[in-house]
PDB file of all heavy atoms in Angstrom:
ATOM      1  N   VAL D  28     -22.593   8.828  -3.331  1.00  0.00           N
ATOM      2  CA  VAL D  28     -23.348   9.513  -2.285  1.00  0.00           C
ATOM      3  C   VAL D  28     -23.722   8.458  -1.256  1.00  0.00           C
ATOM      4  O   VAL D  28     -24.583   7.614  -1.497  1.00  0.00           O
ATOM      5  CB  VAL D  28     -24.608  10.199  -2.829  1.00  0.00           C
ATOM      6  CG1 VAL D  28     -25.376  10.873  -1.693  1.00  0.00           C
ATOM      7  CG2 VAL D  28     -24.239  11.226  -3.889  1.00  0.00           C
ATOM      8  N   HIS D  33     -24.609   8.065   7.672  1.00  0.00           N
ATOM      9  CA  HIS D  33     -23.474   7.175   7.879  1.00  0.00           C
ATOM     10  C   HIS D  33     -22.188   7.968   8.071  1.00  0.00           C
ATOM     11  O   HIS D  33     -22.036   9.100   7.593  1.00  0.00           O
ATOM     12  CB  HIS D  33     -23.332   6.203   6.704  1.00  0.00           C
ATOM     13  CG  HIS D  33     -24.291   5.067   6.781  1.00  0.00           C
ATOM     14  ND1 HIS D  33     -24.306   4.058   5.849  1.00  0.00           N
ATOM     15  CD2 HIS D  33     -25.243   4.751   7.693  1.00  0.00           C
ATOM     16  CE1 HIS D  33     -25.239   3.177   6.187  1.00  0.00           C
ATOM     17  NE2 HIS D  33     -25.825   3.586   7.295  1.00  0.00           N
ATOM     18  N   SER D  52     -10.690   2.961   3.398  1.00  0.00           N
ATOM     19  CA  SER D  52     -11.800   3.385   4.257  1.00  0.00           C
ATOM     20  C   SER D  52     -11.541   4.812   4.728  1.00  0.00           C
ATOM     21  O   SER D  52     -10.380   5.239   4.827  1.00  0.00           O
ATOM     22  CB  SER D  52     -11.983   2.432   5.436  1.00  0.00           C
ATOM     23  OG  SER D  52     -10.796   2.350   6.205  1.00  0.00           O
ATOM     24  N   ILE D  64      -3.109  -1.839  -2.689  1.00  0.00           N
ATOM     25  CA  ILE D  64      -3.540  -1.431  -4.025  1.00  0.00           C
ATOM     26  C   ILE D  64      -3.637   0.087  -4.105  1.00  0.00           C
ATOM     27  O   ILE D  64      -3.377   0.706  -5.131  1.00  0.00           O
ATOM     28  CB  ILE D  64      -4.919  -2.042  -4.351  1.00  0.00           C
ATOM     29  CG1 ILE D  64      -4.890  -3.559  -4.257  1.00  0.00           C
ATOM     30  CG2 ILE D  64      -5.399  -1.601  -5.720  1.00  0.00           C
ATOM     31  CD1 ILE D  64      -6.262  -4.191  -4.289  1.00  0.00           C
ATOM     32  N   ASN D 104     -18.073  -3.575  15.506  1.00  0.00           N
ATOM     33  CA  ASN D 104     -18.040  -4.857  14.810  1.00  0.00           C
ATOM     34  C   ASN D 104     -19.409  -5.209  14.289  1.00  0.00           C
ATOM     35  O   ASN D 104     -20.419  -4.878  14.890  1.00  0.00           O
ATOM     36  CB  ASN D 104     -17.559  -5.951  15.760  1.00  0.00           C
ATOM     37  CG  ASN D 104     -16.074  -5.860  15.993  1.00  0.00           C
ATOM     38  OD1 ASN D 104     -15.368  -5.267  15.212  1.00  0.00           O
ATOM     39  ND2 ASN D 104     -15.623  -6.446  17.076  1.00  0.00           N
ATOM     40  N   GLY D 111     -23.055   0.506  -2.953  1.00  0.00           N
ATOM     41  CA  GLY D 111     -23.657   1.126  -4.116  1.00  0.00           C
ATOM     42  C   GLY D 111     -23.688   0.145  -5.280  1.00  0.00           C
ATOM     43  O   GLY D 111     -23.143  -0.956  -5.191  1.00  0.00           O
TER      44      GLY D 111
END
Side-chain angles (χ1 to χ4, degrees):
Chain D
V28 179
H33 281 182
S52 58
I64 302 168
N104 285 340

